[in-house]
Amino acid sequence: MHQFKSHLWSLKSIASSYLTLRRNHHQHDLNNVRLMASQLKTRSVVRFSGPDTIKFLQGLLSNDVRRFDESPGEKTLNPAMPNMPVITVPPMYAALLTPQGRFLYDLFLYMPTKPEEKLNKTRSGRGSNDGELELLADVDTQVLDEVVQTFKRYRLRAKVDIENIAQDFSCWQCYGINYSHESSAAEELDTASIGWGAGIDKSTMSASQGNDIRWQWFKDPRLDCLGYRGIFPSSSEPPLVEADKETDEKNYLLWRLEKGVAEGSTEIPKESDFGALDNYVSLDHISFDHSTPFNVGEAIPLEYNLEGLNAISFDKGCYVGQELIARTHHRGVIRKRLLPLKFLDDKGKEQKVAPGSEILDASSGKKIGTVTTSLGCRGLGLLRLADALKKSSLLTILGQEDLKVEAVKPDWWPPEWF
């Protein structure tokens, strides 16, 4: 059996990581930070339940939701350990698009482990599973009510209930380590499956058979470098995260910016007027302007790298907006993509830039893109690849020509994107 000590998220390691981050925050450098956990207040939870849940979501979302209805494969079967269910189903990342194939909302879908799917009394197998099908969705808090209403409009006669349960559950992220480099596949599986409650503790073995162990950490379905994600009851802390010792959510946002990963309808815009996004896409302080209108989709999912983040299935069949996605993918030409950005002055010091700022190639004077999201001197921008990654390009901000913009190609990008 693996040495689980190496996986325990102790108070000491989290506090140490947080202090390191605070010392380096002016430099926005997270490369040396080991492990952090953040409650994601910008995300909320919606429940889908009922016999038509899979069929309903399959016809709407960009990913293949039928996976939740399949028999568990070898990788989803857990070793027999206390406080752990026998079977866990990995979460899925997906998007709801407009009929024209533009982005509306992203969702992390989870199938909660039912209480009877934990170890039985002999700890040799799973119990029965005669309950109603249920999926939980982690969605953008900014558009929570809109998400619920949109799905209800699509429901028609489908036997599926859609509920806002944001008061009962919270979304969390654990990050700061590239797990794929520091642990084996077996260790990752064991770590991801540790249940909510007493963790791996033989002294609680008998009690664990009666505990509610539905809530667990799972590997982030987008990228290994993003760490672990989970939905947990709001009344308690996630497993192995000490109370009141988690780090600020801005640290997770910064972690994503450095990886080039946008999340939510506030960072993957639903409308073309970037000026209207200033109040909530600038992440120096997390605040939302709830008066901002959300009317039509604007972002093209492939330009925001959603296929590289495992949000799109190209062989699942029809779903809302599928035609444009399939046509663009099979043509194989995507001229603009979302890239991580750094903002520096002429002395190499980091500077802040407002979202919505236009990026120029100073050598040609052409506008090549726009800053979509910013947090201090870091950001994301939708840029023309041919200009942004050309070695001879000198990128600046329109109206702030003394600032230099550095576009970074993420390590996780597949080579065929070039």
Side-chain angles (χ1 to χ4, degrees):
M1 185 175 291
H2 299 295
Q3 298 297 318
F4 289 99
K5 268 180 150 181
S6 62
H7 298 306
L8 297 182
W9 304 342
S10 66
L11 170 61
K12 181 178 179 180
S13 65
I14 293 177
S16 175
S17 296
Y18 187 40
L19 291 174
T20 302
L21 179 64
R22 288 180 62 87
R23 286 195 295 269
N24 295 330
H25 191 265
H26 69 284
Q27 298 176 334
H28 294 296
D29 180 13
L30 295 179
N31 292 330
N32 296 320
V33 174
R34 291 284 301 172
L35 190 62
M36 297 177 288
S38 298
Q39 181 180 349
L40 307 182
K41 297 180 181 179
T42 56
R43 308 292 295 188
S44 295
V45 183
V46 174
R47 176 192 285 126
F48 297 92
S49 60
D52 292 342
T53 295
I54 298 294
K55 181 180 178 181
F56 172 71
L57 293 175
Q58 179 71 4
L60 294 178
L61 301 182
S62 60
N63 216 332
D64 195 343
V65 187
R66 292 173 298 182
R67 192 191 75 194
F68 289 111
D69 211 18
E70 296 174 350
S71 298
E74 183 178 345
K75 289 187 178 180
T76 64
L77 295 175
N78 296 326
M81 283 183 268
N83 293 55
M84 293 176 60
V86 172
I87 294 175
T88 58
V89 181
M92 174 184 295
Y93 187 51
L96 178 66
L97 311 179
T98 69
Q100 295 76 31
R102 298 304 200 268
F103 178 88
L104 281 179
Y105 320 115
D106 65 348
L107 305 90
F108 294 83
L109 292 173
Y110 298 79
M111 176 174 279
T113 303
K114 295 185 180 298
E116 58 269 22
E117 288 182 345
K118 62 186 176 182
L119 299 181
N120 60 23
K121 291 184 178 180
T122 64
R123 298 176 51 244
S124 61
R126 57 178 290 192
S128 62
N129 181 15
D130 300 324
E132 185 181 64
L133 178 62
E134 176 186 29
L135 292 180
L136 301 184
D138 159 354
V139 304
D140 188 344
T141 298
Q142 168 70 15
V143 291
L144 172 60
D145 293 336
E146 186 182 327
V147 168
V148 172
Q149 292 305 314
T150 299
F151 279 106
K152 286 184 176 180
R153 285 197 296 270
Y154 275 114
R155 180 171 52 183
L156 300 177
R157 293 183 178 87
K159 295 178 180 179
V160 55
D161 293 323
I162 304 162
E163 306 170 78
N164 173 356
I165 56 172
Q167 295 299 317
D168 300 322
F169 295 95
S170 301
C171 304
W172 286 75
Q173 189 88 16
C174 180
Y175 53 100
I177 293 179
N178 188 334
Y179 295 93
S180 62
H181 292 170
E182 297 199 10
S183 59
S184 68
E187 289 171 331
E188 288 174 356
L189 177 61
D190 291 343
T191 303
S193 302
I194 293 175
W196 171 59
I200 304 303
D201 183 355
K202 292 184 178 180
S203 65
T204 65
M205 186 177 298
S206 59
S208 71
Q209 296 170 6
N211 290 343
D212 183 350
I213 54 170
R214 303 174 70 190
W215 316 108
Q216 300 131 16
W217 288 104
F218 293 94
K219 185 187 296 184
D220 193 300
R222 296 167 296 178
L223 300 169
D224 286 347
C225 63
L226 293 177
Y228 285 80
R229 197 176 183 101
I231 290 175
F232 301 94
S234 298
S235 58
S236 60
E237 296 291 329
L240 308 174
V241 175
E242 296 289 342
D244 301 323
K245 296 301 181 182
E246 70 271 8
T247 70
D248 194 281
E249 184 179 357
K250 286 190 293 184
N251 299 329
Y252 167 62
L253 297 171
L254 179 58
W255 184 259
R256 281 195 293 103
L257 295 187
E258 294 189 352
K259 307 300 180 185
V261 177
E263 180 178 299
S265 303
T266 57
E267 297 176 34
I268 310 176
K270 294 177 53 183
E271 53 185 311
S272 58
D273 181 10
F274 280 105
L277 302 178
D278 288 352
N279 288 334
Y280 60 86
V281 180
S282 180
L283 302 174
D284 284 311
H285 54 88
I286 301 174
S287 61
F288 295 128
D289 180 3
H290 290 274
S291 65
T292 304
F294 288 90
N295 299 316
V296 296
E298 172 63 24
I300 297 175
L302 299 187
E303 292 184 345
Y304 281 75
N305 306 325
L306 289 190
E307 79 274 36
L309 298 174
N310 300 313
I312 299 174
S313 170
F314 293 103
D315 55 10
K316 64 165 285 185
C318 293
Y319 58 90
V320 175
Q322 181 259 351
E323 183 178 353
L324 175 67
I325 299 299
R327 185 169 66 246
T328 305
H329 172 69
H330 291 299
R331 284 175 57 194
V333 179
I334 301 175
R335 295 183 173 86
K336 294 188 295 181
R337 285 195 181 271
L338 194 72
L339 284 161
L341 304 175
K342 297 179 183 179
F343 310 118
L344 308 169
D345 63 17
D346 54 2
K347 296 180 181 179
K349 293 184 178 180
E350 297 173 332
Q351 300 292 324
K352 295 182 180 181
V353 169
S357 300
E358 294 185 322
I359 299 175
L360 304 178
D361 183 351
S363 58
S364 64
K366 294 191 305 181
K367 296 179 183 179
I368 67 165
T370 306
V371 178
T372 61
T373 307
S374 68
L375 172 57
C377 61
R378 297 280 184 166
L380 297 173
L382 188 64
L383 309 179
R384 286 201 298 268
L385 291 178
D387 298 307
L389 299 179
K390 187 169 58 177
K391 291 184 179 181
S392 60
S393 294
L394 178 60
L395 307 184
T396 63
I397 298 294
L398 179 63
Q400 296 176 271
E401 283 75 11
D402 57 329
L403 289 185
K404 175 185 176 184
V405 179
E406 181 181 341
V408 181
K409 181 177 72 67
D411 294 337
W412 58 268
W413 277 24
E416 58 266 24
W417 284 7
F418 302 96

